[in-house]
Amino acid sequence: MDLDLSQEHELLRNTVREFAAERVAPVAVELDRESRFPYELVAEMAELGLMGIPIPEEYGGAGSDTLAYAIAIEELTRIDSSVAITVAAHTSLGTMPILMFGNDEQKREWLPQLASGEKLAAFGLTEADAGSDAGATRTRAEQRDGQWIVNGSKIFITNAGTDISACVTITALTADDEVSNIIVPNGTPGYTISPPMHKLGWHASDTRELSFKDVAVPDGNLLGERGRGFVQFLEILDGGRISVAAMGVGLAQGAYDLAYAYAQERKQFGKPISSFQAVQFKLADMATEIQAGRALVYRAAWLKDQGRPFALAAAQAKLYTGELSNRVVNASLQMHGGYGFMEESAIARLYRDQKVLEIGEGTNEVQRMVIAKHLGL
Ligand SMILES: Cc1cc2nc3c(=O)[nH]c(=O)nc-3n(C[C@H](O)[C@H](O)[C@H](O)COP(=O)(O)OP(=O)(O)OC[C@H]3O[C@@H](n4cnc5c(N)ncnc54)[C@H](O)[C@@H]3O)c2cc1C
């Protein structure tokens, strides 16, 4: 057993860490305050090859593995969640479905522009009445004269409405009890995108409601086999969970870093608060749990990279790191006292950005349902 990362993985970690510290950290507060999408950072990340880490080189990606991808997402989230989820949703939800289920033509059409980061893609599964129960999709696609005519709506969709969004893959009923995935290009008549939704956190990430009214796309935009949409999106979510779990570790690490520094700087009763054992114990617990969470994430990524079953490991990593990040960000803010409650403190932004890690790509409860099913219950 070798727990050391390879030189390539270490190099990538250092590159992303440096990028996050030098390019993301100085603008994160402003992007959050202005709810501004980070176009400049996306362009820089595209240059660095971060917008298609696990996508093969033949399609313009970095041709790296899931572990590398998880490490990059962790390092970005350590500094800013909005930037990290932009990359994660684009990669796992926007690009991966086309790589996994697309035919040659679809791959050639979409992957180079997506994997290079020139354009972004989204995945639209959630509807107003179909969240955890994603199979309750109401959006319909009817085949007519060589086209699919789509009617319905989606909600809370990441990356669908930026100036550089190319397409969204949506789940739709193609018959009663038959779900399929269909690619809808941005700009197709009848496909409307709401203004950005106002959120508790992830202010600089793009989140929209989508509406489809007699939207006609070619027959060839069906992704994979007709009627396999349900199985496909479950597989997509299994993989996506590894990146959200990596966000949980990254956010916890970022909150720990802030607490560690503040505890040594802040003096009360004539001493730095880090000299009080109650504070030291909190930091000790945080550091320990973060190591445990990171090990779960790396294991899930490693299993996927070995081509072995990883769905259980991914759900366990997502559940554990979602709750871990909640505990750590809460303890870190507590350690910041009243200053932590002020908008200008970095920990306040991390605190707001944390909660959705226990909701998106399957709530904590849904992860427990998935885990229980894998345990044979
Ligand atoms: C910022 C943001 C970005 C998102 N991006 C995307 C995206 O890009 N694409 C996309 O398709 N979706 C996206 N989502 C949607 C997200 O995946 C859903 O919000 C999530 O799956 C939960 O669905 P819901 O919000 O409808 O909650 P609900 O399913 O209504 O759940 C409400 C509560 O009930 C609980 N619950 C539900 N069923 C059960 C059960 N059987 N047993 C126990 N408890 C249960 C849930 O755990 C939760 O606590 C995004 C959401 C957010 C907030």
Side-chain angles (χ1 to χ4, degrees):
M1 188 173 188
D2 182 359
L3 291 175
D4 277 330
L5 291 179
S6 69
Q7 271 188 348
E8 292 81 46
H9 288 121
E10 285 292 1
L11 182 68
L12 178 81
R13 182 190 288 291
N14 291 338
T15 305
V16 181
R17 186 172 289 178
E18 208 176 289
F19 170 78
E22 288 177 9
R23 307 295 304 157
V24 183
V27 295
V29 172
E30 192 181 311
L31 290 170
D32 175 76
R33 193 173 50 233
E34 297 175 4
S35 294
R36 185 152 53 82
F37 186 80
Y39 288 105
E40 304 81 4
L41 294 176
V42 169
E44 289 182 43
M45 290 191 289
E47 282 286 308
L48 287 172
L50 301 182
M51 299 306 288
I53 294 172
I55 310 299
E57 287 177 34
E58 62 172 308
Y59 297 119
S64 202
D65 57 14
T66 316
L67 180 58
Y69 171 51
I71 290 169
I73 294 298
E74 177 189 335
E75 289 298 329
L76 290 173
T77 316
R78 191 170 173 179
I79 300 297
D80 187 63
S81 291
S82 291
V83 171
I85 187 59
T86 300
V87 179
H90 167 68
T91 307
S92 294
L93 302 181
T95 312
M96 270 297 175
I98 300 176
L99 178 69
M100 287 163 72
F101 308 115
N103 56 33
D104 278 352
E105 205 177 314
Q106 289 166 335
K107 287 183 188 173
R108 275 198 309 274
E109 178 180 357
W110 295 106
L111 292 180
Q113 46 177 326
L114 300 179
S116 64
E118 186 194 327
K119 295 280 182 180
L120 293 177
F123 188 67
L125 172 66
T126 308
E127 298 183 5
D129 292 320
S132 301
D133 183 11
T137 295
R138 296 253 170 77
T139 297
R140 296 196 82 92
E142 214 183 302
Q143 213 166 15
R144 227 187 280 158
D145 306 327
Q147 294 185 313
W148 290 103
I149 311 296
V150 182
N151 280 287
S153 63
K154 298 286 171 183
I155 196 167
F156 308 143
I157 308 306
T158 307
N159 283 344
T162 73
D163 297 347
I164 53 170
S165 298
C167 62
V168 60
T169 300
I170 56 160
T171 50
L173 287 169
T174 40
D176 290 341
D177 292 329
E178 180 190 272
V179 179
S180 305
N181 284 320
I182 292 178
I183 304 171
V184 181
N186 282 47
T188 309
Y191 169 27
T192 31
I193 301 172
S194 77
M197 300 182 81
H198 296 291
K199 309 186 289 287
L200 173 69
W202 287 8
H203 284 169
S205 150
D206 182 77
T207 314
R208 312 273 183 155
E209 284 184 67
L210 316 180
S211 149
F212 306 89
K213 192 158 188 317
D214 294 328
V215 175
V217 298
D219 255 353
N221 282 28
L222 180 77
L223 187 66
E225 217 179 297
R226 179 173 174 166
R228 298 281 297 165
F230 194 81
V231 180
Q232 288 173 354
F233 80 65
L234 289 181
E235 268 187 60
I236 293 162
L237 293 181
D238 285 341
R241 276 172 195 149
I242 298 177
S243 59
V244 181
M247 289 189 72
V249 176
L251 191 132
Q253 182 69 51
Y256 167 86
D257 294 343
L258 293 171
Y260 184 85
Y262 189 76
Q264 290 176 76
E265 175 195 315
R266 175 69 176 165
K267 290 200 177 78
Q268 285 296 280
F269 302 95
K271 297 179 197 162
I273 59 170
S274 62
S275 66
F276 304 130
Q277 199 176 46
V279 171
Q280 292 175 359
F281 279 13
K282 265 192 192 164
L283 288 165
D285 286 349
M286 287 182 195
T288 306
E289 290 190 41
I290 290 168
Q291 285 300 342
R294 186 173 288 123
L296 287 178
V297 176
Y298 287 8
R299 179 168 171 274
W302 180 82
L303 285 171
K304 184 168 190 288
D305 287 334
Q306 302 303 309
R308 304 216 331 235
F310 67 93
L312 170 61
Q316 288 174 327
K318 160 84 166 65
L319 172 62
Y320 185 80
T321 58
E323 296 188 344
L324 156 73
S325 58
N326 185 314
R327 286 192 293 276
V328 173
V329 83
N330 191 32
S332 176
L333 195 148
Q334 185 70 19
M335 218 176 278
H336 282 76
Y339 173 62
F341 197 66
M342 297 299 116
E343 266 300 345
E344 77 253 25
S345 73
I347 191 61
R349 176 169 51 86
L350 268 66
Y351 190 83
R352 287 188 282 100
D353 283 344
Q354 185 279 325
K355 188 61 206 174
V356 67
L357 298 178
E358 299 181 81
I359 296 170
E361 297 206 32
T363 62
N364 290 348
E365 293 73 27
V366 165
Q367 304 311 318
R368 287 191 165 88
M369 283 157 62
V370 171
I371 294 165
K373 193 160 164 249
H374 280 278
L375 298 178
L377 298 167

